[in-house]
Amino acid sequence: MEEIVREMVHDFGPDRFAVFVYLGLIAISILSTTGFFLLSWSWIVAIINVLVTFVIWRHFSLRREHPRPETGQRWISRRNPSTPNTAGLPAVYFLYILGSGGHTSEMLETIKRKFIPQANAHRRYLVTAGDQDSLDRLIKLECLIRRCFPDDPRAGTLDAFQVPRARRVHQPLWTAPLTCLNTAIHAINALTREPDCRPTSRHGAQFKYPHVVLTNGPATGFVVCLVAHLLKIFYLVPRNRLKMVYVESWARSRSLSLTGRLFLWSGVADMFCVQHEELAKRTKGAVYVGRVAARLAPPG
Amino acid sequence: MVNGVNGVGAGGDGGSSSGSDTVTAAQVRELKRQRLDFFNHGFEAHQPAAQPDLSGRHCFVTVGATAGFRSLLDEVSTAGFLESLAGHGFASLEVQCGPDHSAIWERLARLDEEERRGVAVSCFAYTGDMHAHIINCRGLAGVRPAGCVIAHGGTGTVGEVLGVGAPLIVVANPTLMDNHQLELAEDLEAQNLVVHGQIGSLTDALGRIAERITQGTLDNLPPYSPPSFPVSAADRVTFFDWMVLTCYPDELAVQMLQQPVVNGDVPAVAVDDQEDNGMLVFD
């Protein structure tokens, strides 16, 4: 069984896509450079103006569509066991971004705590390249799920993608933009490639894009969410897909992490969650979701 | 591959521990094979092959998988610390060193019998199964007394140890970004869940954890039972499913208005209902 899961996970899919994106970026930069020499100043200014205005307008119109923190708080305080019910939906497709070490532990614990057996569920994991530990642990989790639901479609389907890491621990901040760009370009593939196990021929476009992108603090998560936001800004992904949820690490009880501050400031995430009540009170726009990433009380 | 320094951990530490100064291709292949075996048997059944001597208390030091923590390792490999361990009835010390494995191994090997005070010492670099090492520190009635885990302040490690129920000393790693581990350590100490240890005075922390063990029932816990999976409906985190529903606005509107029906009675949350109506607007 472990072999099957391993195979599913190792099917990363070809990353020819990144090459095309690189070529596209080079083409755009060549075009804009030639335009810079050929066009008159007034044209250049006008084009840049239109572009910037469009991006800003789209950014704010997308932000306006985000559910309010009060709505999120209401979802949490609701005590109706029959909702939310996602079993009847055509597809439930999560993208989980695994960072490294503690980020992975927290994310896997969250996945365990939110798991519900449904045949319409697909899970995609985003792992940073070279992070064998996270890969092993997610395989363990998937084995656990498959052992609980052997030969049962309710175990759901899964696949995994690899991206280069955005920032290594202790990497100086000034080299980060370069590595981030590399991550971003590889992330496009993971965000837009439909799962092989859920082809369009059988499911239509239901599994084309993830519904919810869940991240909890690695810098990679912010880069991926920024790319997802840009895809929505340029109408490359419909706006009712790629809902981004940021869960601040359980370690942060009084102040936000750098990634957290970036998410909050940029407004990229649809929902900004923290796991400590005190921090939620201090942070405008944050939802207190409780301790979703750690299990404190010893069982038994 | 030499893992053990004092015979206890010798002969490898189960299939999952890895890392030594020189690893040949054959050893790598062996490790891979063991790793595969380990998965075939399922990870729940996995136990380290060389069980530490469990008649005395067991101390496990871990720095996590991501970054090194040299100052903590330097402190636990001193004669003074081992003396304090022996004084509190500890019989064995196991250290997960991360990238500093070879240096710490040398430091531990330099200690002579006298300085070790009868504490069996072993160290390794990484493990794929932290749980198997932590469980040795959980007191089990009639089998082993409670030991102690000394860990860096990473959420993964801390969460896992507290989930198992082993006594825990958290030492925040100050070299990481914003010194963020300090927050968690102080918070958990305030909740009386862990002992917050300081570099330079770990022996004090050890005294406090020993006090806690002797006062409480930590030596006589029932056998560890892993948390049930899938979790019960009452404990399940449903928040993220609501986020999925925001992709289907019609379905979301229907479900947000739905009221629980208890034995056909009128639900007691009528007030909530009206507020819900107001909150349906996403602006």
Side-chain angles (χ1 to χ4, degrees):
Chain A
M1 176 177 64
E2 190 260 332
E3 288 301 312
I4 302 168
V5 173
R6 212 160 250 273
E7 236 164 64
M8 279 198 255
V9 165
H10 275 288
D11 184 21
F12 288 119
D15 212 355
R16 294 187 297 265
F17 201 76
V19 180
F20 289 120
V21 177
Y22 268 119
L23 288 177
L25 280 183
I26 292 168
I28 288 173
S29 51
I30 290 173
L31 270 179
S32 45
T33 324
T34 45
F36 193 78
F37 286 112
L38 293 179
L39 295 175
S40 64
W41 272 110
S42 53
W43 269 106
I44 294 169
V45 171
I47 289 173
I48 291 176
N49 258 339
V50 168
L51 207 67
V52 169
T53 317
F54 170 75
V55 169
I56 292 174
W57 168 71
R58 273 294 286 169
H59 171 71
F60 282 102
S61 62
L62 280 172
R63 268 185 81 159
R64 263 205 312 281
E65 285 172 18
H66 292 173
R68 290 198 222 140
E70 295 87 353
T71 314
Q73 212 65 66
R74 197 152 294 272
W75 291 338
I76 289 163
S77 53
R78 265 175 84 96
R79 285 281 159 265
N80 183 344
S82 61
T83 58
N85 183 2
T86 54
L89 300 176
V92 177
Y93 178 4
F94 275 91
L95 172 70
Y96 301 112
I97 298 167
L98 301 184
S100 62
H103 291 305
T104 302
S105 310
E106 285 197 32
M107 183 57 83
L108 294 180
E109 183 64 31
T110 310
I111 296 170
K112 263 190 212 171
R113 298 266 301 265
K114 69 161 285 297
F115 177 81
I116 187 165
Q118 274 174 197
N120 58 358
H122 179 76
R123 296 175 291 278
R124 172 168 292 177
Y125 299 93
L126 205 69
V127 189
T128 44
D131 189 1
Q132 188 61 37
D133 181 56
S134 296
L135 204 58
D136 286 346
R137 272 146 80 187
L138 90 85
I139 289 170
K140 262 189 207 176
L141 174 69
E142 285 297 334
C143 286
L144 177 65
I145 292 174
R146 269 169 178 65
R147 242 184 303 131
C148 290
F149 301 94
D151 301 319
D152 189 340
R154 288 187 305 155
T157 55
L158 77 138
D159 58 5
F161 273 73
Q162 269 186 325
V163 291
R165 193 162 179 173
R167 178 181 170 272
R168 286 183 302 280
V169 175
H170 300 313
Q171 183 188 335
L173 276 177
W174 65 271
T175 55
L178 286 174
T179 44
C180 282
L181 181 70
N182 199 20
T183 310
I185 282 162
H186 284 82
I188 297 176
N189 194 22
L191 285 168
T192 56
R193 213 177 109 103
E194 67 171 16
D196 288 345
C197 47
R198 302 280 195 175
T200 320
S201 53
R202 242 188 310 147
H203 298 278
Q206 294 296 346
F207 282 97
K208 180 77 179 115
Y209 306 107
H211 290 104
V212 177
V213 181
L214 194 57
T215 181
N216 66 354
T220 312
F222 181 70
V223 176
V224 174
C225 285
L226 206 59
V227 170
H229 194 63
L230 282 173
L231 289 174
K232 279 157 98 173
I233 280 181
F234 290 109
Y235 292 99
L236 294 168
V237 171
R239 63 185 189 191
N240 63 345
R241 289 290 192 277
L242 295 182
K243 303 281 183 186
M244 286 158 269
V245 182
Y246 176 76
V247 183
E248 180 60 285
S249 164
W250 172 59
R252 296 298 187 144
S253 57
R254 290 194 292 270
S255 63
L256 291 176
S257 64
L258 178 62
T259 320
R261 288 199 296 270
L262 278 174
F263 266 105
L264 199 64
W265 170 80
S266 63
V268 163
D270 287 64
M271 201 56 98
F272 187 96
C273 310
V274 295
Q275 303 189 51
H276 291 270
E277 202 156 14
E278 198 191 331
L279 183 58
K281 275 185 201 138
R282 254 182 232 196
T283 318
K284 196 176 168 293
V287 180
Y288 170 59
V289 288
R291 210 170 41 223
V292 296
R295 179 170 52 88
L296 289 197
Chain B
M1 178 172 142
V2 185
N3 271 329
V5 175
N6 197 16
V8 161
D13 186 64
S16 50
S17 303
S18 63
S20 97
D21 314 324
T22 51
V23 182
T24 64
Q27 279 171 329
V28 169
R29 237 176 291 128
E30 173 67 5
L31 270 176
K32 274 187 183 159
R33 192 191 60 74
Q34 284 178 344
R35 191 177 272 251
L36 284 177
D37 270 2
F38 153 65
F39 273 111
N40 286 340
H41 293 130
F43 56 96
E44 227 67 276
H46 172 77
Q47 285 290 318
Q51 278 282 347
D53 177 17
L54 294 176
S55 53
R57 300 190 190 283
H58 178 64
C59 179
F60 177 51
V61 179
T62 172
V63 301
T66 318
F69 192 177
R70 188 61 197 265
S71 47
L72 172 65
L73 294 173
D74 278 347
E75 181 151 357
V76 299
S77 52
T78 56
F81 181 77
L82 285 173
E83 186 183 345
S84 169
L85 269 184
H88 288 116
F90 281 82
S92 50
L93 168 69
E94 192 178 25
V95 189
Q96 183 257 317
C97 314
D100 298 318
H101 176 244
S102 52
I104 297 305
W105 186 82
E106 265 170 42
R107 272 179 72 97
L108 288 170
R110 268 206 303 274
L111 297 169
D112 57 34
E113 275 311 316
E114 175 79 10
E115 284 171 323
R116 278 190 211 144
R117 311 253 167 190
V119 176
V121 184
S122 60
C123 71
F124 59 90
Y126 295 106
T127 173
D129 191 8
M130 201 65 100
H131 181 86
H133 295 273
I134 293 169
I135 199 89
N136 288 331
C137 302
R138 184 187 201 261
L140 183 54
V143 179
R144 57 172 179 251
C148 163
V149 179
I150 301 177
H152 74 134
T155 52
T157 314
V158 172
E160 189 156 3
V161 176
L162 289 177
V164 167
L168 174 62
I169 296 173
V170 176
V171 184
N173 187 347
T175 63
L176 299 177
M177 191 183 260
D178 311 342
N179 195 4
H180 68 264
Q181 295 192 339
L182 192 64
E183 241 173 64
L184 184 71
E186 286 176 353
D187 251 50
L188 292 174
E189 162 116 80
Q191 293 172 48
N192 218 12
L193 286 164
V194 306
V195 169
H196 179 196
Q198 309 281 351
I199 294 287
S201 57
L202 266 186
T203 46
D204 292 352
L206 210 56
R208 276 154 71 206
I209 211 92
E211 205 174 287
R212 200 173 283 197
I213 292 171
T214 46
Q215 280 171 2
T217 54
L218 288 166
D219 275 336
N220 297 305
L221 292 176
Y224 172 75
S225 59
S228 65
F229 182 85
V231 291
S232 64
D235 294 338
R236 205 172 78 79
V237 176
T238 57
F239 182 76
F240 306 112
D241 290 340
W242 282 111
M243 282 311 292
V244 174
L245 282 174
T246 60
C247 300
Y248 302 93
D250 299 342
E251 186 64 28
L252 177 71
V254 169
Q255 293 206 13
M256 279 191 70
L257 287 176
Q258 225 170 63
Q259 293 304 314
V261 181
V262 185
N263 302 330
D265 288 351
V266 180
V269 277
V271 186
D272 231 55
D273 180 23
Q274 285 165 5
E275 283 174 49
D276 263 351
N277 268 327
M279 294 320 298
L280 266 181
V281 189
F282 278 79
D283 197 355

